[in-house]
Amino acid sequence: MDQIYNQLNQLMNYIGPYPQLRAAIIIAIAMLLGKIVDWVVTGILARAVSKTQTDFDDDILELFHRPIFLSVVLIGLGIATYELKLQDNVTFFTVGTLKTIAVLVWFRFGMKLTSLVINQLEGNEKRFKFITATTNPLIKNTLLIILVALSVYVIFLVWNINITAWIASAGIIGLAISFAAKDTLANVFAGVTIFADKPFKVGDFIILDSGERGVITHIGVRSTRLLTRDDVEITVPNGVLATTSVINESGGPHEKYRIRVKVGVAYGSDIDKVERVLLEIANGHNEICENPEPRVRLRGFGDSSLDYELLSWVEKPVFRGRVIHELNRGVYKAFAAENIEIPFPQRDIRVIDSQNSDDFKSLRETP
């Protein structure tokens, strides 16, 4: 600002020795120049963004109007302050105030710009998977802290405040906080990792390493909430989820879940008939997926039965328990109607008369 004032001072000498008049003229020129600069800059950018099909760049351009105009006006006010030849302390205070206002103007612009950009990226989750409705507040708050710290740093420089002691104090305080909130910070960083890696999302059915199974209802910065089939909510710290194995039943290429119905039939049964009846049961259920289609597999030869398994798919893992129940009922009724025997283990017990049995006597007399 001092260099600009020195260059303009020669031109202002032609007006005469009237500092108030010269200051007023400078302010008027600054306001006019601010309008011209705003019109030129935004006009050039407007022609560039008019070729795009999105309104995103138009919204960003709209944000530039006020900061550009106010910046030029504040520069003019600073030059006018120097022109008034005030006392050094008054000049320093006035110019410092004008610079602080300029910092606040651009800080407000930065806040609006970051919010606009993050909201735009959130709508394109295919390319920016990390930015979602859940991570949106976290990212905004992080950028807000950065903008505040940067603005405070510039304001300290404007007022010639030595920030070395402040930085040292902030470092000591931050170190103390990091030790005191070690577990909390670990959960927060783990939450950021979960947001970035996306091993699961809200609505997925997962099985924890400890055996709990349920649907994810909320993924927060510190913890994740899980609702079990018993309608019991479990809160798991993100630090635990980031370091243990988690089975995501809703993961993979689709959310469909394969269910298995195991059944045994007696030896000698018509296996073609058994397989046909099992497929009819699955195909007749309205919640069994047609693709992939149900299938029947003979898994092995048991002690008293041929071990079959009916494989079919449902749209979501939450349907598993109820559909298996209904298929089991269907299998039992169909096998009864088709005279297909479901065997059960049998044991023959021979009772030996200890008084009259020769085998028992010879065994008793054996040394």
Side-chain angles (χ1 to χ4, degrees):
M1 189 173 293
D2 294 335
Q3 296 179 354
I4 297 176
Y5 171 72
N6 292 330
Q7 293 177 358
L8 293 178
N9 189 39
Q10 299 177 357
L11 298 177
M12 299 305 297
N13 288 331
Y14 293 102
I15 299 177
Y18 304 102
Q20 291 82 4
L21 177 60
R22 295 166 65 175
I25 293 175
I26 291 175
I27 294 174
I29 293 175
M31 295 182 67
L32 178 61
L33 186 61
K35 288 291 186 181
I36 294 175
V37 172
D38 180 31
W39 177 74
V40 171
V41 174
T42 56
I44 294 174
L45 295 177
R47 286 193 294 271
V49 302
S50 62
K51 301 177 182 180
T52 62
Q53 299 179 353
T54 178
D55 295 333
F56 173 63
D57 44 14
D58 297 327
D59 295 335
I60 293 179
L61 180 61
E62 186 66 25
L63 295 178
F64 272 101
H65 287 287
R66 187 176 181 86
I68 292 176
F69 172 74
L70 289 178
S71 297
V72 176
V73 172
L74 289 172
I75 292 174
L77 291 174
I79 297 174
T81 302
Y82 285 116
E83 188 64 33
L84 291 174
K85 304 296 184 180
L86 302 173
Q87 296 180 2
D88 292 342
N89 57 346
V90 176
T91 301
F92 175 77
F93 176 79
T94 305
V95 174
T97 302
L98 294 174
K99 291 180 179 179
T100 302
I101 294 174
V103 172
L104 296 178
V105 168
W106 284 103
F107 168 73
R108 185 170 179 267
F109 167 79
M111 288 181 56
K112 291 185 176 181
L113 180 62
T114 53
S115 178
L116 184 64
V117 172
I118 292 173
N119 291 337
Q120 178 68 21
L121 297 180
E122 180 186 343
N124 191 359
E125 293 189 5
K126 293 183 179 180
R127 295 183 59 185
F128 304 97
K129 298 182 178 180
F130 177 70
I131 303 178
T132 63
T134 305
T135 59
N136 190 323
L138 174 64
I139 298 174
K140 285 184 178 179
N141 292 333
T142 303
L143 294 177
L144 175 61
I145 293 174
I146 295 175
L147 287 175
V148 169
L150 182 60
S151 300
V152 171
Y153 173 75
V154 175
I155 291 175
F156 278 14
L157 294 179
V158 167
W159 294 98
N160 294 333
I161 299 175
N162 187 3
I163 63 173
T164 304
W166 292 85
I167 294 177
S169 300
I172 295 174
I173 294 173
L175 184 62
I177 293 175
S178 64
F179 279 109
K182 180 179 63 174
D183 295 336
T184 301
L185 291 176
N187 291 327
V188 171
F189 286 123
V192 174
T193 303
I194 291 174
F195 291 142
D197 193 39
K198 288 187 177 297
F200 43 76
K201 61 183 184 299
V202 174
D204 284 355
F205 276 81
I206 66 171
I207 301 177
L208 301 179
D209 200 26
S210 54
E212 291 89 351
R213 174 181 179 268
V215 60
I216 296 176
T217 58
H218 175 75
I219 302 176
V221 177
R222 191 195 67 84
S223 62
T224 297
R225 289 198 287 269
L226 182 72
L227 186 65
T228 68
R229 298 300 297 154
D230 297 327
D231 288 336
V232 176
E233 187 176 73
I234 301 175
T235 300
V236 186
N238 288 332
V240 176
L241 292 177
T243 56
T244 58
S245 299
V246 177
I247 299 176
N248 188 355
E249 295 183 336
S250 301
H254 49 70
E255 197 176 359
K256 295 178 181 178
Y257 185 83
R258 185 164 74 170
I259 58 177
R260 303 170 183 266
V261 175
K262 297 181 179 180
V263 61
V265 298
Y267 281 97
S269 301
D270 186 348
I271 59 174
D272 295 328
K273 181 180 179 181
V274 171
E275 295 175 4
R276 174 180 57 80
V277 171
L278 289 175
L279 288 177
E280 289 177 354
I281 295 170
N283 291 324
H285 197 287
N286 58 0
E287 291 188 83
I288 297 297
C289 298
E290 296 181 358
N291 185 25
E293 62 182 8
R295 61 198 65 173
V296 177
R297 295 291 182 265
L298 176 59
R299 293 304 189 190
F301 302 94
D303 294 337
S304 57
S305 65
L306 299 173
D307 297 331
Y308 271 96
E309 194 171 47
L310 173 61
L311 306 175
S312 55
W313 280 259
V314 291
E315 290 292 341
K316 294 183 178 182
V318 68
F319 301 151
R320 181 186 70 173
R322 177 173 52 81
V323 174
I324 289 178
H325 160 73
E326 294 172 356
L327 290 179
N328 283 331
R329 285 172 52 87
V331 169
Y332 184 81
K333 291 181 179 180
F335 278 16
E338 297 289 341
N339 294 322
I340 299 175
E341 181 182 355
I342 301 178
F344 52 89
Q346 299 182 14
R347 297 290 183 269
D348 294 333
I349 300 176
R350 297 179 59 190
V351 179
I352 301 177
D353 187 351
S354 59
Q355 300 297 328
N356 301 323
S357 174
D358 294 336
D359 295 336
F360 183 81
K361 291 179 180 180
S362 60
L363 181 62
R364 185 176 54 187
E365 295 172 358
T366 301

